[in-house]
Amino acid sequence: MIKTKFFCGPEYKQKKSTNFPTVRSTYKFLIFVMILNLAGLSGCKATRDPVYIFGDEKNDLVQILQQHNISFILYDDVMEMVGAVPHGGGVMVLADHYPNQKVDLDQNFYTTIQTKEVRAYVEFPSVVSSVETGAIQQAKKERAVVNSSMFNGFPDSLTILGINGLHYLDVNPGNGRMHIVAAKVAGFDSAIYGLPDNYVPLLYEADKNVLVSTTNLSRFVLGRYAPAKEWGAIWVNILNHVNPELALDEVSWNPVVGTTYGKEESLPEDVQRTSVYRGVEWYKNARMVAHGSYEDTVAKMAESNNFKLSYDPVIPIGDGSYGLYECIFSEIDENGNQPINVVKRGDCISEASMAFALAGRIFDNKEYLNIATNLLDFYLKTSIATKKEYGDPSHGAYGLIPWGISNDAWFKASYGDDNARFLLAAWVTAAITGNNDWDETMMKSLIALLRTTGQNGFRGSRIDLQNFEKNGWRFYYEGDIINPAPHFECYLWACYLWAYDKTGDELFLDRAKKGITKMMEFYPDGWRWTNGLAQERARMILPLSWLVRVEDIPENRNLLMTVVDDFLELQAECGAIREELGSIEMGRYPPPQSNEAYGTTEASLIAQNGDPVSDLLYTTNFAFLGLHEAVYATGDERIREATDKLAEFLVRIQVKSESHPELDGGWMRAFDYERFEHWGSNADHGWGAWAIETGWTQGWIASILALRELDVSIWDLTKNSEISKYHPELRKELLPDGI
């Protein structure tokens, strides 16, 4: 039965009824066409015949055809559709029950369209010609890759495309030309190592004038397929194949997940303040603040090593008393949804607490301030984070703050960097709330970090509980390790400089200065970088800024400006920071160096220098922190202007989405600032391109925007801390004189 007739705006609907046979319906349709042609409606595509579609009126493609005033008739019976289409017409078969159910076709369908010389696009079919399609497969690491010149050079051959939640059918394309394939490939926006030996067809020519998709390409809006312009060009070519008289040159749509403002759009005066509010509300909307009623559920998930919780708006919002979840995972399903990662990490909890506290001050919001307090109370008082080995004075890990508490893999790990960021954020929360209850624990952590930092000022990337049990803490304190990796070392030095300013303990200053001096001797070619060299430069700005606070001498200012000057060469006109790689042999997690390596470890968002991507998890977020503090440490106008540009960029690219509250107000890891959309290589197997990290990303970006609103630096905000009163006793306990 005909479901919908659409011609250049007007829509005609025929209810399902046996009282209206197909011939009568078609007669009405022809009269309707004649009336419209006589009327000469402006803006209508001049087509002799409409596109005949088997599908649902809610299908993304159907909606787009309406928006572009393209004539079509919608059917819910596929054989009625091919019976009605005129000789040489165009049909489209859309898979509205994907990925669970194929479109039920048989040989009669293909015989009819061949006899009538119909031009067709068919997706997710049960049969291609006379051959049944195979099982439905779910992609693992495969991505869509263009494999022909069908699209007239855009997208070009080997262009990578995002089909989220990709499922496809086992088929034998025979001699059919494959235009898009699924393959595990490395690369940012093109398969830089070519196609591997094994790949499967996603869009191919099955018979004369018949395009077959083994997946669902028409879910491109709901499924958030990217990049947008490339997918628009693909649909231009498919639609022109089905009906050449359309002569389309553009297909576009409003994304369901996009940026808050365009690249050139005027910004309102209160944009920064609004951005802070939305950034903090995101924690609640995304259900990241844990609620007590879900503790049993999360505990059972952890027992099976499953930390993915499907987002659901009915999940209750906590008040911070049960902590906070880590992130929104990067994976996107066929409906455009992303799961919650329910791991509880100390750094993320503290960094989110800071964001809530600052927003509480700006908006005079008691709920925010209460959540901020509860989050720190949870991790430092209620949880096991400061208990067991970490609370045992005889253990080498005494006083340290573990990476996380969700299972032993997190609890056993002591990252100096994670400890440092926990402290940096917690000091801000304490200053805003006026709460001194955490001071003793934080001072203990500072000295515990100091006594596991070696003679050269380096601590190394990570020390686990079993290492402490084997070596004790003196092994690390007396060691001569040199680890030229700012990602892991330099925020410790920032903490030590802050602690020296509060306590006058020369050992804090000594370890910080030795580490900074040695690190800068390796700058930049000798630095070991994690996901990129840009992030290492970004990290180094904070301790160098605070070194100027402690010793404002030309030598220290020169060190700071050396790093800042080089770093700002990566800033684009729009304010974005371009990700940059160092020498591959110096990289801990470089881009995949082969197709086989894609998705097997942590990785950069880019494939090579020059790819226009900003990394908001590892680089841009920490650059924002460092540059903000550098402005107040130096008063340098150039740094101020660069920080302003970066802030403007960040408020523009904050996620906007009415249909995805779990994303609205967030900042995703990857952003292509030339396309001006969220796009990057998703090779990182843990925290990929579309992840939103509660602490590293959301916590620091929202907090620095808030500090800008308050016109204050972290150094100045926390200058009246009373933490030093716990220093003498704890110093004697953890690091006695004479050691």
Side-chain angles (χ1 to χ4, degrees):
M1 187 68 68
I2 301 172
K3 292 199 292 187
T4 304
K5 299 175 180 179
F6 180 85
F7 285 93
C8 304
E11 185 177 292
Y12 173 87
K13 293 186 177 180
Q14 172 68 57
K15 294 183 179 180
K16 295 181 180 180
S17 171
T18 55
N19 297 327
F20 293 94
T22 302
V23 173
R24 184 176 178 183
S25 299
T26 304
Y27 175 74
K28 285 187 174 183
F29 154 65
L30 292 173
I31 296 296
F32 190 45
V33 172
M34 292 173 63
I35 294 172
L36 287 172
N37 286 339
L38 289 172
L41 293 177
S42 62
C44 181
K45 297 291 182 184
T47 59
R48 181 176 55 202
D49 295 306
V51 178
Y52 289 67
I53 299 176
F54 170 76
D56 190 274
E57 61 185 4
K58 295 181 180 179
N59 182 282
D60 290 346
L61 181 63
V62 173
Q63 297 289 315
I64 294 298
L65 294 180
Q66 285 186 326
Q67 293 169 19
H68 286 72
N69 291 330
I70 297 173
S71 307
F72 66 87
I73 311 177
L74 203 58
Y75 289 80
D76 60 9
D77 186 298
V78 71
M79 290 311 296
E80 181 181 356
M81 176 189 68
V82 294
V85 65
H87 191 93
V91 302
M92 307 189 81
V93 177
L94 308 181
D96 291 315
H97 300 290
Y98 167 92
N100 300 315
Q101 182 179 329
K102 304 176 187 179
V103 178
D104 189 17
L105 299 178
D106 58 27
Q107 179 56 33
N108 289 335
F109 169 80
Y110 292 97
T111 299
T112 304
I113 62 175
Q114 289 296 332
T115 300
K116 301 176 77 170
E117 296 185 319
V118 168
R119 306 176 70 86
Y121 165 77
V122 180
E123 63 183 19
F124 217 55
S126 61
V127 171
V128 177
S129 296
S130 59
V131 181
E132 291 188 4
T133 55
I136 299 172
Q137 305 287 343
Q138 183 170 6
K140 296 179 174 64
K141 300 297 181 181
E142 299 92 339
R143 294 189 284 176
V145 185
V146 176
N147 190 45
S148 81
S149 58
M150 172 186 177
F151 309 109
N152 302 310
F154 187 80
D156 207 349
S157 183
L158 295 183
T159 295
I160 294 171
L161 305 166
I163 300 180
N164 297 316
L166 175 62
H167 292 70
Y168 57 85
L169 304 174
D170 273 340
V171 297
N172 181 358
N175 296 322
R177 294 176 58 204
M178 289 183 279
H179 301 299
I180 302 177
V181 300
K184 183 179 176 181
V185 295
F188 158 60
D189 56 8
S190 63
I192 58 176
Y193 301 113
L195 288 174
D197 293 336
N198 298 319
Y199 54 86
V200 296
L202 296 180
L203 181 68
Y204 71 101
E205 295 180 19
D207 294 304
K208 183 180 179 182
N209 293 330
V210 179
L211 281 177
V212 170
S213 170
T214 66
T215 184
N216 186 324
L217 301 185
S218 65
R219 193 183 283 254
F220 56 100
V221 180
L222 178 68
R224 296 163 54 195
Y225 295 2
K229 286 187 177 180
E230 282 80 349
W231 277 107
I234 286 168
W235 278 110
V236 163
N237 283 273
I238 293 175
L239 289 166
N240 285 339
H241 161 83
V242 172
N243 189 342
E245 293 182 356
L246 290 175
L248 291 174
D249 54 17
E250 183 181 11
V251 171
S252 61
W253 60 94
N254 292 322
V256 294
V257 175
T259 62
T260 301
Y261 299 98
K263 196 172 187 177
E264 306 293 338
E265 190 174 351
S266 296
L267 299 177
E269 289 186 5
D270 64 346
V271 65
Q272 187 169 256
R273 182 181 176 90
T274 301
S275 185
V276 172
Y277 176 77
R278 294 181 61 230
V280 173
E281 281 293 300
W282 170 83
Y283 288 104
K284 296 164 60 181
N285 295 334
R287 303 307 192 264
M288 303 309 294
V289 187
H291 192 276
S293 64
Y294 265 64
E295 287 299 282
D296 289 343
T297 299
V298 171
K300 290 178 181 178
M301 292 170 63
E303 289 175 3
S304 60
N305 203 35
N306 170 33
F307 296 98
K308 294 180 182 179
L309 176 67
S310 296
Y311 171 79
D312 191 325
V314 303
I315 296 175
I317 302 168
D319 66 355
S321 299
Y322 291 89
L324 181 99
Y325 303 134
E326 182 189 353
C327 69
I328 295 291
F329 272 121
S330 182
E331 63 186 63
I332 307 173
D333 70 14
E334 64 275 3
N335 296 313
N337 300 318
Q338 296 175 236
I340 297 169
N341 176 3
V342 295
V343 165
K344 294 180 181 179
R345 290 177 49 159
D347 52 350
C348 293
I349 287 173
S350 181
E351 289 159 331
S353 169
M354 169 180 60
F356 273 108
L358 287 165
R361 167 71 66 83
I362 290 173
F363 299 106
D364 192 23
N365 188 310
K366 292 182 179 179
E367 179 195 13
Y368 289 172
L369 293 170
N370 184 56
I371 291 174
T373 300
N374 289 344
L375 286 172
L376 284 188
D377 278 348
F378 164 77
Y379 207 75
L380 295 180
K381 295 180 180 180
T382 306
S383 83
I384 62 170
T386 54
K387 301 175 177 64
K388 301 179 72 174
E389 292 91 341
Y390 297 100
D392 181 357
S394 66
H395 198 282
Y398 177 56
L400 296 171
I401 298 174
W403 182 26
I405 57 172
S406 295
N407 63 18
D408 288 341
W410 277 273
F411 186 73
K412 71 179 182 181
S414 169
Y415 282 101
D417 170 61
D418 290 48
N419 267 233
R421 282 182 291 97
F422 185 103
L423 292 173
L424 289 168
W427 295 333
V428 173
T429 299
I432 290 292
T433 61
N435 191 330
N436 297 325
D437 292 347
W438 311 299
D439 282 359
E440 183 176 5
T441 302
M442 292 192 291
M443 179 53 73
K444 185 185 297 183
S445 178
L446 273 168
I447 299 174
L449 289 167
L450 184 65
R451 75 173 186 170
T452 53
T453 298
Q455 300 296 306
N456 299 310
F458 294 88
R459 189 176 186 272
S461 61
R462 161 177 171 167
I463 309 173
D464 287 354
L465 290 178
Q466 61 266 33
N467 301 126
F468 283 119
E469 289 158 7
K470 176 183 177 182
N471 301 318
W473 63 265
R474 293 193 186 192
F475 172 83
Y476 301 99
Y477 177 72
E478 296 169 354
D480 59 358
I481 180 176
I482 295 176
N483 180 36
H487 175 102
F488 294 103
E489 302 287 354
C490 69
Y491 279 10
L492 283 169
W493 302 328
C495 288
Y496 295 166
L497 291 166
W498 185 91
Y500 167 71
D501 182 70
K502 306 300 176 290
T503 67
D505 188 335
E506 292 286 343
L507 188 57
F508 282 121
L509 180 62
D510 176 73
R511 288 293 192 265
K513 289 178 65 175
K514 282 182 177 178
I516 289 172
T517 299
K518 181 60 69 173
M519 183 69 79
M520 291 305 295
E521 290 176 5
F522 285 94
Y523 179 78
D525 296 334
W527 281 6
R528 296 174 189 154
W529 49 272
T530 308
N531 303 79
L533 185 58
Q535 70 184 245
E536 309 300 332
R537 286 192 171 104
R539 290 279 194 136
M540 200 66 200
I541 297 172
L542 178 63
L544 289 174
S545 297
W546 284 5
L547 182 60
V548 170
R549 289 283 201 169
V550 171
E551 293 182 347
D552 190 355
I553 59 177
E555 179 184 355
N556 291 340
R557 284 191 172 239
N558 288 338
L559 287 176
L560 172 61
M561 295 311 299
T562 295
V563 175
V564 168
D565 287 345
D566 290 345
F567 183 78
L568 291 184
E569 290 183 7
L570 300 175
Q571 187 168 40
E573 184 59 33
C574 66
I577 304 297
R578 175 173 56 81
E579 195 59 16
E580 183 185 49
L581 308 172
S583 300
I584 294 299
E585 63 271 14
M586 298 300 290
R588 183 184 180 101
Y589 299 121
Q593 300 300 292
S594 66
N595 286 333
E596 293 75 17
Y598 179 85
T600 60
T601 185
E602 294 183 41
S604 172
L605 296 173
I606 64 175
Q608 56 194 359
N609 286 337
D611 290 340
V613 178
S614 283
D615 189 330
L616 279 69
L617 176 62
Y618 287 107
T619 304
T620 301
N621 49 333
F622 296 127
F624 200 28
L625 163 61
L627 291 172
H628 177 79
E629 293 299 306
V631 169
Y632 288 88
T634 66
D636 187 272
E637 192 60 32
R638 180 165 167 263
I639 300 177
R640 187 185 304 277
E641 290 175 0
T643 310
D644 290 345
K645 285 175 62 177
L646 182 54
E648 182 176 316
F649 169 72
L650 289 169
V651 299
R652 287 184 185 277
I653 69 170
Q654 190 172 20
V655 175
K656 181 179 180 180
S657 178
E658 293 182 2
S659 58
H660 288 279
E662 74 276 20
L663 305 177
D664 185 69
W667 283 277
M668 293 183 182
R669 178 184 174 185
F671 194 81
D672 183 326
Y673 56 84
E674 288 189 354
R675 288 187 173 98
F676 222 72
E677 65 178 300
H678 301 96
W679 176 255
S681 171
N682 202 35
D684 193 304
H685 78 335
W687 297 268
W690 297 281
I692 304 178
E693 184 80 356
T694 52
W696 295 35
T697 302
Q698 198 75 11
W700 285 109
I701 293 175
S703 294
I704 301 304
L705 289 172
L707 287 166
R708 286 169 56 84
E709 281 292 296
L710 295 172
D711 191 17
V712 68
S713 67
I714 292 176
W715 185 273
D716 293 325
L717 178 68
T718 60
K719 65 183 179 181
N720 294 324
S721 170
E722 298 178 2
I723 195 173
S724 63
K725 69 180 182 181
Y726 296 102
H727 173 259
E729 184 176 344
L730 289 171
R731 176 67 151 77
K732 186 179 295 186
E733 179 188 8
L734 276 80
L735 198 58
D737 292 339
I739 293 180

